[in-house]
Amino acid sequence: GFVSLPSHILKAAPARITGPFDGDASNTRCRIDGNAMEILAESPRQCIIMFPEAASGPHTVSVTEKDKTIEKTVSAVNMDVN
């Protein structure tokens, strides 16, 4: 496969997407429901994104690296620690 998106992502937290990246975040696009997500870091084996706090429930997340795109429904999870 191209990249591996987790089925659940903690909202308002960094999330790791594993797969073959080129280490150049400038040619990588990560989107949630069509809106760009911030890429915090990229290495040849992974991309770290900041998952938005406002997200909850299922969302369509897409990752584009150069000319390849993968899309997956990902559930946003809220971790409340009391």
Side-chain angles (χ1 to χ4, degrees):
F2 163 50
V3 298
S4 178
L5 278 166
S7 60
H8 294 77
I9 295 180
L10 193 61
K11 67 183 195 174
R16 185 173 66 154
I17 300 169
T18 57
F21 291 93
D22 62 6
D24 180 4
S26 71
N27 61 19
T28 304
R29 300 285 173 263
C30 296
R31 297 188 173 281
I32 177 169
D33 300 328
N35 299 309
M37 283 188 285
E38 180 184 4
I39 298 173
L40 302 175
E42 183 178 313
S43 75
R45 288 177 297 286
Q46 66 183 11
C47 176
I48 309 293
I49 59 167
M50 177 53 83
F51 205 73
E53 182 174 1
S56 63
H59 295 275
T60 301
V61 173
S62 67
V63 177
T64 303
E65 169 77 356
K66 291 184 182 163
D67 58 352
K68 293 183 191 159
T69 300
I70 185 171
E71 197 171 89
K72 182 176 178 178
T73 299
V74 175
S75 291
V77 180
N78 188 14
M79 177 79 83
D80 282 329
V81 179
N82 294 328

